[in-house]
Amino acid sequence: MDGPQDLGGKRNFGPINPEQDEPIFHAEWEKKVLGLTIASNGLGHWSIDEGRLARESLSPQQYYGLSYYEIWYEGVTALLKRHGELTDAELAAGKALQPGLRTDRRVSGEAMPKVLASGGPSERPQSSTPLFCVGQKVRTKLVHPAGHTRLPNYARDKIGVIQALRGVHVFPDTSAHGEGEQPQWLYTVEFDGAALWGPDAEPGLSNTIDAWESYLDPA
Amino acid sequence: MSFREGAKISDGHHHDHDNHLSDMDAKVRALQTILVEKGLVDPAAVDVVVETYEHKVGPRNGAKVVAKAWVDPEFRAWLEKDASAAINSFGFEGRQGEHMHAVFNSPEQHNMVVCTLCSCYPWPVLGLPPVWYKSPPYRSRVVYEPRKVLGEFGVELPESTKIKVWDSTAELRYLVIPMRPAGSDGLSESELADLVTRDSMIGTGLALEPEQE
Protein backbone atom coordinates (compact mmCIF):
# COMPACT_ATOMS: atom_id res chain seq x y z
CA MET A 1 0.00 0.00 0.00
CA ASP A 2 1.19 3.52 -0.71
CA GLY A 3 0.83 4.30 2.96
CA PRO A 4 2.82 6.31 5.45
CA GLN A 5 5.06 3.34 6.23
CA ASP A 6 6.67 3.33 2.76
CA LEU A 7 9.48 5.70 3.68
CA GLY A 8 12.41 4.89 1.38
CA GLY A 9 13.52 8.02 -0.47
CA LYS A 10 11.14 10.43 1.30
CA ARG A 11 12.52 13.83 2.29
CA ASN A 12 12.51 16.22 5.23
CA PHE A 13 12.32 13.82 8.17
CA GLY A 14 15.41 15.44 9.63
CA PRO A 15 18.58 14.08 11.22
CA ILE A 16 18.97 10.53 12.56
CA ASN A 17 19.76 11.68 16.13
CA PRO A 18 20.99 8.38 17.57
CA GLU A 19 20.47 8.42 21.34
CA GLN A 20 23.57 7.77 23.46
CA ASP A 21 23.24 4.81 25.82
CA GLU A 22 19.69 4.29 24.68
CA PRO A 23 17.58 2.21 27.07
CA ILE A 24 15.77 -0.80 25.60
CA PHE A 25 12.44 0.69 26.66
CA HIS A 26 11.63 4.32 27.43
CA ALA A 27 8.59 3.67 29.62
CA GLU A 28 6.95 0.77 31.45
CA TRP A 29 3.92 0.84 29.14
CA GLU A 30 6.16 0.16 26.13
CA LYS A 31 7.17 -3.17 27.65
CA LYS A 32 3.53 -4.09 28.10
CA VAL A 33 2.66 -3.14 24.52
CA LEU A 34 5.41 -5.42 23.22
CA GLY A 35 4.36 -8.28 25.51
CA LEU A 36 0.63 -7.88 24.85
CA THR A 37 1.21 -7.74 21.10
CA ILE A 38 3.30 -10.90 21.02
CA ALA A 39 0.90 -12.69 23.38
CA SER A 40 -2.05 -11.61 21.22
CA ASN A 41 -0.27 -12.76 18.05
CA GLY A 42 -0.17 -16.18 19.70
CA LEU A 43 -3.98 -16.45 19.53
CA GLY A 44 -3.46 -17.20 15.84
CA HIS A 45 -6.16 -14.88 14.50
CA TRP A 46 -3.81 -13.02 12.17
CA SER A 47 -0.53 -13.44 10.29
CA ILE A 48 2.55 -11.25 10.68
CA ASP A 49 1.52 -9.68 7.37
CA GLU A 50 -1.94 -8.74 8.63
CA GLY A 51 -0.23 -7.28 11.68
CA ARG A 52 1.95 -5.07 9.49
CA LEU A 53 -1.10 -4.07 7.42
CA ALA A 54 -2.90 -2.97 10.59
CA ARG A 55 -0.06 -0.64 11.50
CA GLU A 56 0.45 0.80 8.02
CA SER A 57 -3.30 1.40 7.65
CA LEU A 58 -3.08 4.26 10.14
CA SER A 59 -3.52 7.68 8.53
CA PRO A 60 -0.28 9.51 7.74
CA GLN A 61 -1.17 12.05 10.45
CA GLN A 62 -1.40 9.25 13.02
CA TYR A 63 1.54 7.22 11.77
CA TYR A 64 3.96 10.16 11.77
CA GLY A 65 2.50 11.61 14.96
CA LEU A 66 2.77 8.49 17.10
CA SER A 67 5.82 6.87 18.65
CA TYR A 68 6.73 3.32 17.67
CA TYR A 69 5.01 1.54 20.52
CA GLU A 70 1.98 3.83 20.22
CA ILE A 71 1.69 2.56 16.65
CA TRP A 72 1.91 -0.98 18.00
CA TYR A 73 -0.85 -0.22 20.52
CA GLU A 74 -3.07 1.08 17.72
CA GLY A 75 -2.21 -1.97 15.61
CA VAL A 76 -2.95 -4.63 18.22
CA THR A 77 -6.21 -3.01 19.36
CA ALA A 78 -7.39 -2.78 15.72
CA LEU A 79 -6.52 -6.45 15.14
CA LEU A 80 -8.22 -7.63 18.33
CA LYS A 81 -11.35 -5.64 17.41
CA ARG A 82 -11.41 -6.93 13.84
CA HIS A 83 -11.25 -10.50 15.10
CA GLY A 84 -13.95 -10.08 17.72
CA GLU A 85 -11.70 -10.23 20.78
CA LEU A 86 -12.10 -6.59 21.88
CA THR A 87 -14.73 -3.85 21.64
CA ASP A 88 -14.66 -0.08 21.92
CA ALA A 89 -17.09 -0.42 24.82
CA GLU A 90 -14.55 -2.58 26.66
CA LEU A 91 -11.76 -0.07 26.04
CA ALA A 92 -14.02 2.72 27.30
CA ALA A 93 -15.03 0.72 30.38
CA GLY A 94 -11.52 -0.56 31.05
CA LYS A 95 -12.86 -4.04 31.73
CA ALA A 96 -14.07 -7.16 29.95
CA LEU A 97 -17.74 -7.05 28.93
CA GLN A 98 -17.91 -10.33 27.01
CA PRO A 99 -15.92 -13.57 27.04
CA GLY A 100 -12.83 -14.07 24.88
CA LEU A 101 -13.19 -16.31 21.81
CA ARG A 102 -9.85 -18.14 21.52
CA THR A 103 -9.17 -18.64 25.20
CA ASP A 104 -8.01 -22.17 24.30
CA ARG A 105 -5.15 -20.59 22.32
CA ARG A 106 -3.91 -18.38 25.16
CA VAL A 107 -0.11 -18.58 25.42
CA SER A 108 0.88 -19.36 29.00
CA GLY A 109 3.97 -18.01 30.68
CA GLU A 110 5.47 -21.50 30.55
CA ALA A 111 4.83 -21.80 26.80
CA MET A 112 6.07 -18.32 25.80
CA PRO A 113 9.83 -19.13 25.75
CA LYS A 114 9.19 -21.81 23.15
CA VAL A 115 6.96 -19.49 21.12
CA LEU A 116 9.77 -16.91 21.03
CA ALA A 117 12.43 -19.52 20.28
CA SER A 118 10.54 -21.09 17.40
CA GLY A 119 9.32 -17.84 15.79
CA GLY A 120 7.25 -18.05 12.62
CA PRO A 121 9.28 -19.24 9.64
CA SER A 122 7.86 -18.00 6.32
CA GLU A 123 9.67 -20.51 4.07
CA ARG A 124 7.55 -23.22 2.46
CA PRO A 125 8.32 -26.37 0.39
CA GLN A 126 9.54 -25.70 -3.15
CA SER A 127 6.72 -26.99 -5.32
CA SER A 128 7.48 -24.90 -8.42
CA THR A 129 10.46 -24.10 -10.62
CA PRO A 130 11.80 -20.56 -10.19
CA LEU A 131 11.22 -18.28 -13.19
CA PHE A 132 14.47 -16.35 -12.70
CA CYS A 133 18.10 -17.25 -12.14
CA VAL A 134 21.06 -15.50 -10.53
CA GLY A 135 22.50 -12.81 -12.80
CA GLN A 136 19.29 -12.36 -14.76
CA LYS A 137 18.00 -8.83 -15.42
CA VAL A 138 14.49 -8.14 -14.17
CA ARG A 139 12.15 -5.18 -14.09
CA THR A 140 10.02 -4.65 -11.01
CA LYS A 141 6.32 -4.11 -11.62
CA LEU A 142 4.75 -0.67 -11.79
CA VAL A 143 1.95 -1.06 -9.26
CA HIS A 144 0.17 1.07 -6.71
CA PRO A 145 -1.95 -1.49 -4.88
CA ALA A 146 -4.61 -0.38 -2.41
CA GLY A 147 -3.75 -3.40 -0.28
CA HIS A 148 -0.59 -4.65 1.42
CA THR A 149 2.61 -5.10 -0.56
CA ARG A 150 6.30 -5.41 0.29
CA LEU A 151 7.49 -3.85 -2.96
CA PRO A 152 8.55 -0.37 -1.86
CA ASN A 153 7.69 2.61 -4.02
CA TYR A 154 11.29 3.54 -4.72
CA ALA A 155 11.97 0.13 -6.29
CA ARG A 156 8.96 -0.09 -8.62
CA ASP A 157 9.36 -0.11 -12.41
CA LYS A 158 13.14 -0.36 -12.02
CA ILE A 159 15.68 -2.66 -13.65
CA GLY A 160 17.84 -4.75 -11.38
CA VAL A 161 19.71 -8.04 -11.31
CA ILE A 162 18.80 -11.22 -9.44
CA GLN A 163 21.49 -11.66 -6.83
CA ALA A 164 20.15 -14.71 -5.00
CA LEU A 165 17.24 -17.14 -4.79
CA ARG A 166 15.91 -17.29 -1.24
CA GLY A 167 13.48 -20.19 -1.45
CA VAL A 168 9.69 -20.16 -1.50
CA HIS A 169 8.01 -17.89 1.06
CA VAL A 170 4.51 -16.91 2.18
CA PHE A 171 3.21 -14.10 -0.06
CA PRO A 172 2.43 -11.09 2.15
CA ASP A 173 0.14 -9.41 -0.38
CA THR A 174 -2.44 -12.20 0.07
CA SER A 175 -1.55 -13.33 3.57
CA ALA A 176 -2.18 -9.83 4.96
CA HIS A 177 -5.76 -9.91 3.70
CA GLY A 178 -6.71 -13.38 4.89
CA GLU A 179 -6.41 -14.71 1.33
CA GLY A 180 -4.00 -17.50 2.17
CA GLU A 181 -0.26 -17.98 2.06
CA GLN A 182 0.04 -18.52 -1.72
CA PRO A 183 3.81 -19.05 -1.37
CA GLN A 184 6.12 -17.84 -4.15
CA TRP A 185 9.81 -17.81 -4.96
CA LEU A 186 11.65 -15.00 -3.25
CA TYR A 187 14.69 -13.29 -4.76
CA THR A 188 17.21 -10.73 -3.64
CA VAL A 189 17.35 -8.13 -6.40
CA GLU A 190 20.19 -5.65 -6.62
CA PHE A 191 19.92 -2.23 -8.24
CA ASP A 192 22.57 0.24 -9.19
CA GLY A 193 22.00 3.37 -7.08
CA ALA A 194 21.69 5.54 -10.17
CA ALA A 195 18.93 3.28 -11.55
CA LEU A 196 16.83 4.12 -8.48
CA TRP A 197 17.86 7.66 -7.63
CA GLY A 198 19.12 9.11 -10.88
CA PRO A 199 22.18 11.30 -11.25
CA ASP A 200 21.97 12.48 -7.62
CA ALA A 201 22.71 9.00 -6.26
CA GLU A 202 25.82 8.85 -4.09
CA PRO A 203 28.65 7.32 -6.19
CA GLY A 204 29.26 3.64 -5.52
CA LEU A 205 25.78 3.06 -4.08
CA SER A 206 23.79 -0.08 -4.71
CA ASN A 207 20.52 -1.17 -3.12
CA THR A 208 18.87 -4.53 -2.64
CA ILE A 209 15.32 -5.59 -1.92
CA ASP A 210 13.87 -9.03 -1.35
CA ALA A 211 11.17 -9.47 -3.98
CA TRP A 212 8.55 -12.14 -4.54
CA GLU A 213 8.37 -13.59 -8.03
CA SER A 214 5.12 -11.85 -8.98
CA TYR A 215 6.75 -8.46 -8.32
CA LEU A 216 9.14 -9.14 -11.21
CA ASP A 217 9.13 -9.34 -15.02
CA PRO A 218 12.04 -10.36 -17.23
CA ALA A 219 13.86 -7.27 -18.52
CA MET B 1 12.15 17.67 14.90
CA SER B 2 13.37 14.43 16.35
CA PHE B 3 11.87 11.01 16.77
CA ARG B 4 12.01 9.77 20.32
CA GLU B 5 10.15 6.92 21.86
CA GLY B 6 7.09 8.24 23.67
CA ALA B 7 7.35 11.59 21.91
CA LYS B 8 5.08 12.86 19.18
CA ILE B 9 6.61 14.86 16.35
CA SER B 10 4.64 17.87 17.53
CA ASP B 11 5.71 17.58 21.16
CA GLY B 12 7.81 20.64 21.82
CA HIS B 13 7.17 20.83 25.54
CA HIS B 14 8.31 18.52 28.23
CA HIS B 15 5.04 19.04 30.08
CA ASP B 16 2.96 17.68 27.16
CA HIS B 17 5.35 14.80 26.87
CA ASP B 18 4.76 13.72 30.47
CA ASN B 19 0.97 13.89 30.12
CA HIS B 20 1.22 11.91 26.95
CA LEU B 21 3.18 9.13 28.67
CA SER B 22 0.77 8.83 31.57
CA ASP B 23 -2.10 8.68 29.08
CA MET B 24 -0.46 5.73 27.31
CA ASP B 25 0.29 4.11 30.64
CA ALA B 26 -3.41 4.15 31.54
CA LYS B 27 -4.52 2.93 28.12
CA VAL B 28 -2.09 0.04 28.06
CA ARG B 29 -2.89 -1.02 31.63
CA ALA B 30 -6.58 -1.05 30.70
CA LEU B 31 -5.86 -3.17 27.61
CA GLN B 32 -3.91 -5.68 29.68
CA THR B 33 -6.69 -5.85 32.29
CA ILE B 34 -9.30 -6.54 29.61
CA LEU B 35 -7.28 -9.22 27.82
CA VAL B 36 -6.37 -10.98 31.05
CA GLU B 37 -9.98 -10.89 32.28
CA LYS B 38 -11.10 -12.38 28.97
CA GLY B 39 -8.66 -15.24 29.32
CA LEU B 40 -6.75 -14.22 26.18
CA VAL B 41 -3.46 -13.19 27.74
CA ASP B 42 -1.47 -14.68 30.60
CA PRO B 43 0.31 -11.81 32.38
CA ALA B 44 3.19 -14.21 33.03
CA ALA B 45 3.64 -14.55 29.25
CA VAL B 46 3.89 -10.77 28.92
CA ASP B 47 6.57 -10.80 31.61
CA VAL B 48 8.49 -13.54 29.78
CA VAL B 49 8.57 -11.45 26.58
CA VAL B 50 9.84 -8.38 28.42
CA GLU B 51 12.40 -10.34 30.44
CA THR B 52 13.67 -12.04 27.28
CA TYR B 53 14.29 -8.88 25.28
CA GLU B 54 15.31 -6.68 28.19
CA HIS B 55 17.83 -9.05 29.76
CA LYS B 56 18.52 -12.19 27.72
CA VAL B 57 18.65 -11.40 24.01
CA GLY B 58 20.75 -8.52 22.72
CA PRO B 59 23.71 -7.48 20.57
CA ARG B 60 26.13 -9.52 22.72
CA ASN B 61 24.75 -12.51 20.81
CA GLY B 62 25.63 -11.06 17.43
CA ALA B 63 29.05 -9.98 18.72
CA LYS B 64 29.88 -13.61 19.54
CA VAL B 65 28.93 -14.65 16.02
CA VAL B 66 31.13 -11.93 14.50
CA ALA B 67 34.12 -12.72 16.72
CA LYS B 68 33.94 -16.38 15.76
CA ALA B 69 33.75 -15.43 12.09
CA TRP B 70 36.95 -13.39 12.56
CA VAL B 71 38.97 -16.22 14.10
CA ASP B 72 37.53 -19.35 12.51
CA PRO B 73 37.61 -19.54 8.69
CA GLU B 74 35.45 -22.66 8.64
CA PHE B 75 32.78 -20.94 10.69
CA ARG B 76 33.01 -17.90 8.45
CA ALA B 77 32.43 -20.07 5.39
CA TRP B 78 29.44 -21.70 7.11
CA LEU B 79 28.04 -18.27 8.00
CA GLU B 80 28.43 -17.21 4.39
CA LYS B 81 26.70 -20.32 3.06
CA ASP B 82 23.97 -20.91 5.67
CA ALA B 83 23.79 -18.11 8.22
CA SER B 84 20.68 -19.48 9.94
CA ALA B 85 22.36 -22.79 10.75
CA ALA B 86 25.68 -21.20 11.73
CA ILE B 87 23.92 -18.76 14.08
CA ASN B 88 21.62 -21.45 15.47
CA SER B 89 24.74 -23.36 16.53
CA PHE B 90 25.11 -20.75 19.31
CA GLY B 91 21.51 -21.36 20.39
CA PHE B 92 20.48 -17.99 18.93
CA GLU B 93 17.19 -18.57 17.14
CA GLY B 94 13.55 -17.69 16.92
CA ARG B 95 11.29 -14.74 16.38
CA GLN B 96 12.55 -12.27 13.76
CA GLY B 97 15.60 -14.39 13.01
CA GLU B 98 14.03 -17.37 11.31
CA HIS B 99 15.86 -16.78 8.02
CA MET B 100 19.26 -15.17 8.53
CA HIS B 101 21.74 -13.88 5.98
CA ALA B 102 25.20 -12.53 6.80
CA VAL B 103 26.83 -9.81 4.70
CA PHE B 104 30.56 -9.25 4.99
CA ASN B 105 32.25 -5.86 4.94
CA SER B 106 35.53 -5.47 3.09
CA PRO B 107 37.74 -2.54 2.07
CA GLU B 108 35.91 -2.64 -1.26
CA GLN B 109 32.34 -2.87 0.04
CA HIS B 110 30.48 -1.68 3.12
CA ASN B 111 27.03 -3.05 3.90
CA MET B 112 24.13 -1.34 5.68
CA VAL B 113 20.76 -2.75 6.68
CA VAL B 114 17.40 -1.01 6.83
CA CYS B 115 13.71 -1.81 6.81
CA THR B 116 12.09 1.05 4.89
CA LEU B 117 8.61 -0.47 5.25
CA CYS B 118 8.51 -1.23 8.98
CA SER B 119 11.14 -2.23 11.52
CA CYS B 120 12.45 -5.68 10.50
CA TYR B 121 15.58 -6.43 12.50
CA PRO B 122 17.38 -9.66 13.50
CA TRP B 123 16.11 -9.96 17.08
CA PRO B 124 17.91 -13.20 18.10
CA VAL B 125 21.34 -11.67 17.40
CA LEU B 126 20.75 -7.95 18.03
CA GLY B 127 17.76 -7.78 20.38
CA LEU B 128 15.15 -5.07 19.87
CA PRO B 129 16.00 -2.28 17.43
CA PRO B 130 16.93 1.20 18.69
CA VAL B 131 14.48 4.04 18.15
CA TRP B 132 16.48 5.61 15.31
CA TYR B 133 16.39 2.34 13.33
CA LYS B 134 12.57 2.32 13.48
CA SER B 135 12.11 6.04 12.80
CA PRO B 136 11.42 7.93 9.56
CA PRO B 137 14.77 9.77 9.23
CA TYR B 138 16.90 6.60 8.99
CA ARG B 139 14.32 4.62 7.04
CA SER B 140 13.82 7.36 4.46
CA ARG B 141 17.42 8.51 4.00
CA VAL B 142 19.80 5.58 4.23
CA VAL B 143 18.66 4.16 0.89
CA TYR B 144 19.80 7.21 -1.09
CA GLU B 145 22.41 8.96 1.04
CA PRO B 146 24.13 6.32 3.17
CA ARG B 147 27.39 8.29 3.35
CA LYS B 148 25.62 11.29 4.84
CA VAL B 149 23.85 9.00 7.27
CA LEU B 150 27.16 7.39 8.22
CA GLY B 151 28.55 10.86 8.83
CA GLU B 152 25.83 11.41 11.45
CA PHE B 153 27.13 8.29 13.20
CA GLY B 154 30.66 9.67 13.02
CA VAL B 155 31.77 7.18 10.37
CA GLU B 156 33.69 8.21 7.27
CA LEU B 157 34.60 5.59 4.67
CA PRO B 158 37.19 5.93 1.91
CA GLU B 159 35.66 7.20 -1.33
CA SER B 160 36.72 4.01 -3.06
CA THR B 161 34.55 1.87 -0.76
CA LYS B 162 31.23 1.00 -2.35
CA ILE B 163 28.12 0.93 -0.16
CA LYS B 164 25.34 -1.60 -0.50
CA VAL B 165 22.09 -0.94 1.38
CA TRP B 166 19.98 -4.03 2.10
CA ASP B 167 16.26 -3.30 2.53
CA SER B 168 14.65 -6.04 4.65
CA THR B 169 11.43 -6.24 2.64
CA ALA B 170 10.78 -9.96 3.29
CA GLU B 171 11.39 -12.31 6.25
CA LEU B 172 15.13 -12.53 5.59
CA ARG B 173 17.08 -10.82 8.36
CA TYR B 174 20.52 -9.41 7.67
CA LEU B 175 23.54 -9.36 9.96
CA VAL B 176 26.50 -7.22 8.90
CA ILE B 177 29.89 -8.78 9.66
CA PRO B 178 32.18 -5.79 10.19
CA MET B 179 35.87 -5.90 9.28
CA ARG B 180 38.19 -7.05 12.02
CA PRO B 181 39.84 -3.91 13.40
CA ALA B 182 43.53 -3.13 13.16
CA GLY B 183 45.55 -3.88 16.28
CA SER B 184 43.37 -6.82 17.32
CA ASP B 185 45.91 -9.58 16.57
CA GLY B 186 46.35 -11.99 19.41
CA LEU B 187 43.11 -11.11 21.19
CA SER B 188 40.92 -13.97 22.34
CA GLU B 189 37.51 -14.59 20.80
CA SER B 190 35.77 -13.09 23.82
CA GLU B 191 38.06 -10.04 23.82
CA LEU B 192 37.28 -9.62 20.13
CA ALA B 193 33.54 -9.81 20.83
CA ASP B 194 33.94 -6.77 23.09
CA LEU B 195 35.00 -4.78 20.02
CA VAL B 196 31.82 -5.58 18.10
CA THR B 197 29.21 -2.86 18.58
CA ARG B 198 25.53 -3.15 17.76
CA ASP B 199 25.84 -0.42 15.14
CA SER B 200 28.73 -2.23 13.45
CA MET B 201 26.35 -5.16 12.86
CA ILE B 202 23.72 -2.86 11.30
CA GLY B 203 26.35 -1.12 9.19
CA THR B 204 26.03 2.32 10.81
CA GLY B 205 29.27 1.78 12.72
CA LEU B 206 32.61 0.01 12.54
CA ALA B 207 34.09 -2.44 15.02
CA LEU B 208 36.10 -0.68 17.71
CA GLU B 209 39.87 -0.71 17.71
CA PRO B 210 41.29 -2.17 20.94
CA GLU B 211 42.29 1.24 22.33
CA GLN B 212 38.77 2.64 21.68
CA GLU B 213 37.06 -0.01 23.76
Side-chain angles (χ1 to χ4, degrees), chain A residues 129-144:
Chain A
T129 310
L131 281 183
F132 306 109
C133 58
V134 171
Q136 189 171 349
K137 262 192 184 179
V138 289
R139 182 188 286 275
T140 52
K141 291 242 165 78
L142 176 58
V143 284
H144 290 281

mmCIF file of all heavy atoms in Angstrom, chain A residues 129-144:
data_model
loop_
_atom_site.group_PDB
_atom_site.id
_atom_site.type_symbol
_atom_site.label_atom_id
_atom_site.label_comp_id
_atom_site.label_asym_id
_atom_site.label_seq_id
_atom_site.Cartn_x
_atom_site.Cartn_y
_atom_site.Cartn_z
ATOM 1 N N THR A 129 9.133 -24.452 -10.120
ATOM 2 C CA THR A 129 10.458 -24.103 -10.625
ATOM 3 C C THR A 129 10.566 -22.582 -10.644
ATOM 4 O O THR A 129 9.644 -21.911 -11.100
ATOM 5 C CB THR A 129 10.615 -24.627 -12.070
ATOM 6 O OG1 THR A 129 10.223 -25.995 -12.074
ATOM 7 C CG2 THR A 129 12.047 -24.505 -12.550
ATOM 8 N N PRO A 130 11.687 -22.030 -10.166
ATOM 9 C CA PRO A 130 11.803 -20.559 -10.195
ATOM 10 C C PRO A 130 11.855 -20.026 -11.621
ATOM 11 O O PRO A 130 12.447 -20.645 -12.504
ATOM 12 C CB PRO A 130 13.120 -20.303 -9.453
ATOM 13 C CG PRO A 130 13.873 -21.591 -9.475
ATOM 14 C CD PRO A 130 12.851 -22.688 -9.553
ATOM 15 N N LEU A 131 11.228 -18.888 -11.856
ATOM 16 C CA LEU A 131 11.217 -18.283 -13.194
ATOM 17 C C LEU A 131 12.538 -17.600 -13.512
ATOM 18 O O LEU A 131 12.887 -17.427 -14.673
ATOM 19 C CB LEU A 131 10.112 -17.216 -13.279
ATOM 20 C CG LEU A 131 8.676 -17.668 -13.489
ATOM 21 C CD1 LEU A 131 7.777 -16.443 -13.603
ATOM 22 C CD2 LEU A 131 8.566 -18.535 -14.741
ATOM 23 N N PHE A 132 13.257 -17.158 -12.479
ATOM 24 C CA PHE A 132 14.466 -16.353 -12.696
ATOM 25 C C PHE A 132 15.692 -17.039 -12.113
ATOM 26 O O PHE A 132 15.579 -17.856 -11.197
ATOM 27 C CB PHE A 132 14.293 -14.961 -12.082
ATOM 28 C CG PHE A 132 13.066 -14.237 -12.552
ATOM 29 C CD1 PHE A 132 11.983 -14.041 -11.694
ATOM 30 C CD2 PHE A 132 12.971 -13.776 -13.850
ATOM 31 C CE1 PHE A 132 10.835 -13.390 -12.129
ATOM 32 C CE2 PHE A 132 11.827 -13.115 -14.300
ATOM 33 C CZ PHE A 132 10.757 -12.925 -13.429
ATOM 34 N N CYS A 133 16.862 -16.685 -12.655
ATOM 35 C CA CYS A 133 18.102 -17.253 -12.137
ATOM 36 C C CYS A 133 19.068 -16.129 -11.757
ATOM 37 O O CYS A 133 18.889 -14.965 -12.163
ATOM 38 C CB CYS A 133 18.729 -18.185 -13.175
ATOM 39 S SG CYS A 133 19.084 -17.371 -14.725
ATOM 40 N N VAL A 134 20.070 -16.488 -10.994
ATOM 41 C CA VAL A 134 21.055 -15.503 -10.535
ATOM 42 C C VAL A 134 21.731 -14.854 -11.746
ATOM 43 O O VAL A 134 22.102 -15.545 -12.702
ATOM 44 C CB VAL A 134 22.107 -16.180 -9.623
ATOM 45 C CG1 VAL A 134 23.259 -15.225 -9.321
ATOM 46 C CG2 VAL A 134 21.455 -16.643 -8.323
ATOM 47 N N GLY A 135 21.862 -13.539 -11.699
ATOM 48 C CA GLY A 135 22.495 -12.805 -12.795
ATOM 49 C C GLY A 135 21.507 -12.285 -13.826
ATOM 50 O O GLY A 135 21.871 -11.452 -14.667
ATOM 51 N N GLN A 136 20.269 -12.774 -13.764
ATOM 52 C CA GLN A 136 19.286 -12.362 -14.764
ATOM 53 C C GLN A 136 18.794 -10.943 -14.482
ATOM 54 O O GLN A 136 18.600 -10.551 -13.332
ATOM 55 C CB GLN A 136 18.098 -13.341 -14.732
ATOM 56 C CG GLN A 136 17.113 -13.131 -15.869
ATOM 57 C CD GLN A 136 16.068 -14.253 -15.929
ATOM 58 O OE1 GLN A 136 16.191 -15.285 -15.261
ATOM 59 N NE2 GLN A 136 15.036 -14.032 -16.720
ATOM 60 N N LYS A 137 18.550 -10.184 -15.561
ATOM 61 C CA LYS A 137 17.998 -8.828 -15.423
ATOM 62 C C LYS A 137 16.483 -8.915 -15.284
ATOM 63 O O LYS A 137 15.821 -9.640 -16.044
ATOM 64 C CB LYS A 137 18.303 -8.027 -16.694
ATOM 65 C CG LYS A 137 19.507 -7.119 -16.583
ATOM 66 C CD LYS A 137 19.499 -6.191 -17.790
ATOM 67 C CE LYS A 137 20.703 -5.307 -17.838
ATOM 68 N NZ LYS A 137 20.679 -4.446 -19.031
ATOM 69 N N VAL A 138 15.952 -8.158 -14.362
ATOM 70 C CA VAL A 138 14.493 -8.140 -14.166
ATOM 71 C C VAL A 138 14.033 -6.692 -14.036
ATOM 72 O O VAL A 138 14.809 -5.803 -13.679
ATOM 73 C CB VAL A 138 14.076 -8.908 -12.886
ATOM 74 C CG1 VAL A 138 14.254 -10.404 -13.071
ATOM 75 C CG2 VAL A 138 14.851 -8.421 -11.662
ATOM 76 N N ARG A 139 12.764 -6.492 -14.338
ATOM 77 C CA ARG A 139 12.153 -5.180 -14.093
ATOM 78 C C ARG A 139 11.048 -5.370 -13.050
ATOM 79 O O ARG A 139 10.210 -6.268 -13.189
ATOM 80 C CB ARG A 139 11.554 -4.592 -15.377
ATOM 81 C CG ARG A 139 10.942 -3.189 -15.148
ATOM 82 C CD ARG A 139 10.187 -2.687 -16.358
ATOM 83 N NE ARG A 139 11.057 -2.271 -17.449
ATOM 84 C CZ ARG A 139 11.607 -1.056 -17.556
ATOM 85 N NH1 ARG A 139 11.388 -0.137 -16.632
ATOM 86 N NH2 ARG A 139 12.374 -0.767 -18.592
ATOM 87 N N THR A 140 11.075 -4.562 -12.025
ATOM 88 C CA THR A 140 10.018 -4.647 -11.014
ATOM 89 C C THR A 140 8.742 -4.053 -11.593
ATOM 90 O O THR A 140 8.774 -3.182 -12.463
ATOM 91 C CB THR A 140 10.411 -3.876 -9.745
ATOM 92 O OG1 THR A 140 10.798 -2.550 -10.122
ATOM 93 C CG2 THR A 140 11.561 -4.562 -9.020
ATOM 94 N N LYS A 141 7.628 -4.545 -11.084
ATOM 95 C CA LYS A 141 6.324 -4.111 -11.622
ATOM 96 C C LYS A 141 6.028 -2.658 -11.242
ATOM 97 O O LYS A 141 6.451 -2.175 -10.178
ATOM 98 C CB LYS A 141 5.224 -5.006 -11.043
ATOM 99 C CG LYS A 141 5.277 -6.442 -11.577
ATOM 100 C CD LYS A 141 4.017 -6.795 -12.346
ATOM 101 C CE LYS A 141 4.207 -8.050 -13.183
ATOM 102 N NZ LYS A 141 4.126 -9.305 -12.416
ATOM 103 N N LEU A 142 5.294 -1.992 -12.117
ATOM 104 C CA LEU A 142 4.747 -0.673 -11.791
ATOM 105 C C LEU A 142 3.354 -0.904 -11.220
ATOM 106 O O LEU A 142 2.424 -1.259 -11.958
ATOM 107 C CB LEU A 142 4.670 0.208 -13.042
ATOM 108 C CG LEU A 142 4.013 1.574 -12.833
ATOM 109 C CD1 LEU A 142 4.741 2.378 -11.747
ATOM 110 C CD2 LEU A 142 3.964 2.361 -14.125
ATOM 111 N N VAL A 143 3.242 -0.798 -9.927
ATOM 112 C CA VAL A 143 1.953 -1.055 -9.264
ATOM 113 C C VAL A 143 1.763 -0.032 -8.143
ATOM 114 O O VAL A 143 2.733 0.482 -7.579
ATOM 115 C CB VAL A 143 1.917 -2.469 -8.637
ATOM 116 C CG1 VAL A 143 1.732 -3.541 -9.698
ATOM 117 C CG2 VAL A 143 3.169 -2.742 -7.804
ATOM 118 N N HIS A 144 0.512 0.242 -7.870
ATOM 119 C CA HIS A 144 0.172 1.072 -6.707
ATOM 120 C C HIS A 144 -1.027 0.429 -6.007
ATOM 121 O O HIS A 144 -2.127 0.972 -6.023
ATOM 122 C CB HIS A 144 -0.144 2.518 -7.132
ATOM 123 C CG HIS A 144 1.071 3.254 -7.592
ATOM 124 N ND1 HIS A 144 1.993 3.792 -6.731
ATOM 125 C CD2 HIS A 144 1.531 3.504 -8.841
ATOM 126 C CE1 HIS A 144 2.966 4.370 -7.417
ATOM 127 N NE2 HIS A 144 2.723 4.194 -8.702
#
